[in-house]
Amino acid sequence: MKLLSIVGASSIAIIATSAAHAKPPENNVDTAIIPLDQIWAYNIPGTRDIEDLNPPSKLAFEIRVAIGFPPKKKDANHGFTVQGEGFDALREAHAVFVEEKTRRDTFSANSEISAVFFAHETRRYVHLHKVERQGDNISIYYRFIPHETEETTRHFALIPLGRLPNGNYRVKVIRSPMEQKYADIGFRPLNDDVARRIVCRPFSFSVSQEGE
Amino acid sequence: MARFCSENCWATASAILMASSTLADTITVGPNGINSAGLLDFDGMPLTGAGVVIGQVEPGRPGDADVGDDLAHRNTTTNAADVYVQDIAGDPPPNANVSDHAQEVAGVMISTDVTDGTSPPEIVNGIAPTGVATGASLFSSAYVTAGINPGYRDAILTIQFIATRPNMRAVNHSWGKEAPAFPGLLDGNSQLTLGVDWSARQHDVLHLVAGNQGPVADTPIPKDNFNGMTIARSVRASDGVFRQVSPGNNFDADAEGERTSIALIAPGDLVELAGVGDVHRITDGGTSYATPHVTGTVALLQQYANERIMDGGWNATRARRHEVMKAVLMNSADKIIDDGTFTIPGDAGPAPPGTFLGMERTVIDQQDMNWLQSDAYTDEFIPLDEQMGAGHLNAKRALQQFSPGEFDSDGADVPLIGWDYGHTAGEDDHNKYPFSLPLVGGSFLSITLAWDRHVEFQTDTAPFNEFNIGDTFQPSMSPAIQPENDDQINDLDIHLLPKGALNLGSEIATSFSAVGTLEHLFFRIPATGEYEFWINQFDADIAGGQDYAVAWWAAAVPNPNPAQGDYSGNGTVGPEDYNIWKADFGTSFAAADGNGNGVVDAADYTIWRNHLGEMAQGGGLAAVPEPGSGLFVGTLFLVLATRHRRRRHPDSAASQQ
């Protein structure tokens, strides 16, 4: 009998969940789901592997190194937005993470925008399971996935938001509860203080005709 | 004028033990890592772990072509001897339970991959994911956690299965399960931790367990084991050397009470790995990858032991004991670099080479503090640093520590580097280890003592003395295990005394912890003189005495007359020199290497015999104070005045005396 590991089983569950949310709910036309398979990410099941981006580069690796460990005794920094999608977004994110360029929070209405989500290194996986936009609110849902292996992981994602109409946007970073199957085998949920040190905080940006 | 035995001792040993570093571009097994690449056996052949059996237990398993795993589920450079699921002896279904993690951990131990670059993207950085012991035979099994329980039973069954593969020496555990209660009950009393400690003693296997990580408030076990070793991870410091405790370790939740969990640190950050599908990957990090560096090093040492056993020089049982491996690995750990650049606080200038026993890096904790700034250095009741343990794994020094061999207590003098698997008979019994040569004032002495706690079955169903479904282990009846009053641990201590001392009243230094099953003394010798150390059994909670392993390493005054057979350096050639030659036979100990060929051998016996009864030209060593001389006693008084004995009893937290 083929036996699935905890991680394998959880990955399948998350992929299935994201597929179920791949279309906007019919009863709420204002809510748009951004499918996980449109998101370039590192270490997040169901997304596109950022190391498959063309052209090949060390940018993603250098971003991993820069994300590093959670800050001591304070919350993680805010997520942020960059101009562009795909490789362009990767390059812009690299400029912020590695080259420490100022985060940009204003964009012109005709530019592609990506939201950058990240999690510092920790002993629990951090997986996205849903990203949706409802008007000027964007919600990034994530979960901590406990595991028994003693590796620690960093995570980041470039979430394509497309071209957005003028407005002030708020990006919420929302933690979903740990799945019951993990509690059943002894794992305990992280407390919120710990979670805030690991995962990027909410952020906002604006889109206008002039842009920056 | 006495000088340190620095260049002679260590450079000679290095020349013997190291081949040209063909794998020096592979960082974690190279000089900037654990320095395992290029080690040689007794006959000058490369040490690869060949002929040594090591194990791996975790939630998954590596791939194996022999069981039909396809290319996407294995790595062609990492061939396990056999793979299993749980305690099922037959082959697992192809591709079932293979995990990236298990494959990569296996690769750290045995991968033969020497190619550079990761894909994608291509990162050519001079690093290849070469394992520590490319010739070792790895047996791996995946435990399966099923149902609504933490899965301790399944893990113990799997551990027992792997630990009982023939000739198993060490088992790698790059995993941990949640402790049964929260918070903070890392007291060794969970069934899983009890099972690991039972297995260590029952199967004579060294269990290497991945240690503390965070920042989450997880409390994975069995990192609170007593009889194995728990490993933390190191990160490259600014000079590129793995020598700093990684920020990825977390020590908020540690072993209960005053005991600390970490035995050693080893490379665990940004390690390049060989994964399934022959993919190379640079990990973010983990004690998962630090721990197999230690497991692989055990394979190298045991290959060396096998050869010495086969040629009749070493005892086949004692050289393979898990306590011996533990004491050797920890006593040889790097703490302070011994290159003449480090200034000890209070000294006018840098300590000369030899002071720090040939150590190759200065290890620092997360706050940039070194071992001399640790409470483990200043407090005799604390043997190990909370973050650094005994220091950083150094495979080359571990071999230098191991290769001189075993030397019994209460007999002939012992050489400056060696180990023993011994036994104390009961409370207040002590075994004496007098050094054959004077120790150098200002240099450091390192002694590590390891023994087992005794874990027995609470419920044992047939077949007996095996773990079966329904069996349970007897937890300690003490709420916080302390050797002085518990029911599982005899308490042993290390004492340094002047040579010829009659009782512990003249003790100079001690490692005197009241918790755990390990003592570690790292002590600066106050004055050049003759010394001995004792292993003393402080209490007898378990009848029948106590088996233990001890490893020691000291620096001696260089001998001016080895070429004339005066191996003691006392100015005459007599029976004492024969004893030193005998004790150091087969080692690189320069003071007994009469012809200077780098090894103490039969030719050096001939030199001694030809000069027997003669006075050595040039005289002996500078006058060495004997115990009882005014200078010596005066110095010792100052030392003792600053090292009060204040044994802590569970019922009296206050210090004594």
Side-chain angles (χ1 to χ4, degrees), chain A residues 99-166:
Chain A
E99 300 163 37
E100 299 184 343
K101 287 191 175 175
T102 304
R103 297 169 181 222
R104 185 174 169 185
D105 57 9
T106 306
F107 299 86
S108 62
N110 61 355
S111 56
E112 304 275 2
I113 300 171
S114 293
V116 180
F117 167 90
F118 65 92
H120 292 291
E121 184 169 329
T122 184
R123 190 175 171 265
R124 296 200 178 189
Y125 304 137
V126 178
H127 289 175
L128 298 179
H129 68 95
K130 185 170 71 173
V131 180
E132 65 183 19
R133 182 170 77 85
Q134 188 171 33
D136 54 7
N137 286 311
I138 298 162
S139 299
I140 301 172
Y141 293 89
Y142 75 92
R143 280 197 183 101
F144 287 110
I145 308 294
H147 53 90
E148 294 182 343
T149 49
E150 288 284 1
E151 86 273 35
T152 49
T153 48
R154 307 170 189 186
H155 308 262
F156 72 93
L158 305 176
I159 301 169
L161 303 177
R163 294 178 179 171
L164 298 172
N166 291 355

Side-chain angles (χ1 to χ4, degrees), chain A residues 5-7 146-148 178-188, chain B residues 143-152 154 176-180:
Chain A
S5 69
I6 293 172
V7 173
H147 53 90
E148 294 182 343
M178 188 179 75
E179 294 171 276
Q180 184 59 38
K181 63 184 178 183
Y182 297 113
D184 289 344
I185 57 173
F187 288 108
R188 304 172 187 88
Chain B
Y143 66 73
V144 178
T145 301
I148 300 177
N149 67 65
Y152 297 165
D154 303 307
K177 287 178 173 287
E178 285 296 289

Side-chain angles (χ1 to χ4, degrees), chain A residues 3 42 51-52 57 61 64 69-70 121-124 148-154 184-188 190 197, chain B residues 101 120-121 143 147-149 174-179 182 213 216 218 220 233 248 269 282 284-288:
Chain A
L3 299 167
Y42 170 70
E51 293 188 334
D52 290 341
S57 75
F61 174 73
R64 285 169 51 195
F69 299 96
E121 184 169 329
T122 184
R123 190 175 171 265
R124 296 200 178 189
E148 294 182 343
T149 49
E150 288 284 1
E151 86 273 35
T152 49
T153 48
R154 307 170 189 186
D184 289 344
I185 57 173
F187 288 108
R188 304 172 187 88
L190 298 186
R197 289 179 54 210
Chain B
H101 180 270
Y143 66 73
I148 300 177
N149 67 65
S174 290
W175 57 277
K177 287 178 173 287
E178 285 296 289
F182 186 80
Q213 295 189 112
V216 300
D218 292 344
R233 55 194 264 207
D269 283 30
I282 301 174
D284 292 328
T287 52
S288 274

Side-chain angles (χ1 to χ4, degrees), chain B residues 22-373:
Chain B
T22 55
L23 300 176
D25 60 341
T26 299
I27 302 301
T28 68
V29 297
N32 288 350
I34 66 169
N35 216 353
S36 64
L39 295 178
L40 300 179
D41 71 9
F42 194 57
D43 293 330
M45 301 301 291
L47 281 177
T48 63
V52 178
V53 178
I54 56 177
Q56 177 186 21
V57 170
E58 61 173 82
R61 66 169 177 87
D64 184 0
D66 293 339
V67 301
D69 296 333
D70 61 30
L71 282 171
H73 290 81
R74 59 187 168 90
N75 186 295
T76 55
T77 70
T78 306
N79 296 311
D82 215 341
V83 295
Y84 311 91
V85 171
Q86 202 121 320
D87 57 344
I88 302 168
D91 289 347
N95 304 332
N97 294 91
V98 172
S99 78
D100 289 339
H101 180 270
Q103 186 69 61
E104 292 168 349
V105 169
V108 175
M109 290 185 274
I110 65 169
S111 172
T112 58
D113 196 333
V114 292
T115 59
D116 187 12
T118 60
S119 178
E122 197 71 17
I123 297 177
V124 178
N125 55 6
I127 303 173
T130 309
V132 176
T134 54
S137 297
L138 177 68
F139 289 75
S140 179
S141 185
Y143 66 73
V144 178
T145 301
I148 300 177
N149 67 65
Y152 297 165
R153 182 199 68 184
D154 303 307
I156 297 169
L157 283 170
T158 309
I159 292 166
Q160 176 177 252
F161 178 77
I162 285 296
T164 53
R165 297 306 89 197
N167 302 313
M168 183 59 64
R169 298 285 168 251
V171 178
N172 191 84
H173 301 269
S174 290
W175 57 277
K177 287 178 173 287
E178 285 296 289
F182 186 80
L185 282 180
L186 295 171
D187 59 0
N189 263 343
S190 69
Q191 286 295 305
L192 179 56
T193 303
L194 288 163
V196 167
D197 282 346
W198 167 80
S199 170
R201 190 160 167 266
Q202 177 75 15
H203 306 128
D204 186 17
V205 164
L206 184 61
H207 290 287
L208 288 314
V209 179
N212 311 34
Q213 295 189 112
V216 300
D218 292 344
T219 53
I221 51 175
K223 73 179 182 186
D224 55 343
N225 69 85
F226 287 73
N227 298 349
M229 295 172 66
T230 298
I231 310 301
R233 55 194 264 207
S234 65
V235 63
R236 293 177 181 88
S238 56
D239 55 4
V241 178
F242 279 95
R243 62 183 184 87
Q244 181 158 28
V245 175
S246 165
N249 299 289
N250 183 293
F251 306 98
D252 291 343
D254 204 351
E256 190 76 358
E258 296 181 6
R259 191 168 69 99
T260 56
S261 298
I262 300 302
L264 284 178
I265 64 173
D269 283 30
L270 300 176
V271 177
E272 194 156 322
L273 304 166
V276 295
D278 284 354
V279 168
H280 290 188
R281 183 176 77 90
I282 301 174
T283 183
D284 292 328
T287 52
S288 274
Y289 310 111
T291 308
H293 281 91
V294 187
T295 311
T297 301
V298 173
L300 302 180
L301 297 177
Q302 284 298 308
Q303 182 188 357
Y304 188 92
N306 285 346
E307 187 186 24
R308 300 302 304 272
I309 291 165
M310 287 173 61
D311 69 18
W314 285 13
N315 179 279
T317 300
R318 296 196 294 271
R320 291 169 172 153
R321 290 293 307 186
H322 63 282
E323 302 100 314
V324 170
M325 285 292 91
K326 184 174 179 178
V328 164
L329 288 165
M330 294 180 71
N331 202 57
S332 57
D334 283 333
K335 292 181 176 69
I336 305 289
I337 194 165
D338 192 24
D339 62 353
T341 63
F342 189 91
T343 299
I344 300 168
D347 282 9
T355 300
F356 296 109
L357 311 174
M359 293 181 184
E360 297 182 322
R361 78 197 80 196
T362 296
V363 182
I364 50 177
D365 68 10
Q366 291 174 341
Q367 289 74 39
D368 296 333
M369 298 293 184
N370 64 53
W371 224 89
L372 298 188
Q373 297 168 302

Side-chain angles (χ1 to χ4, degrees), chain B residues 8 11 18 88 91 165 217 284 311-312 404 473 497 581 602 613 654 657:
Chain B
N8 282 350
M18 298 293 290
I88 302 168
D91 289 347
R165 297 306 89 197
D284 292 328
D311 69 18
F473 297 103
L497 304 105
W581 170 83
Q657 201 172 351

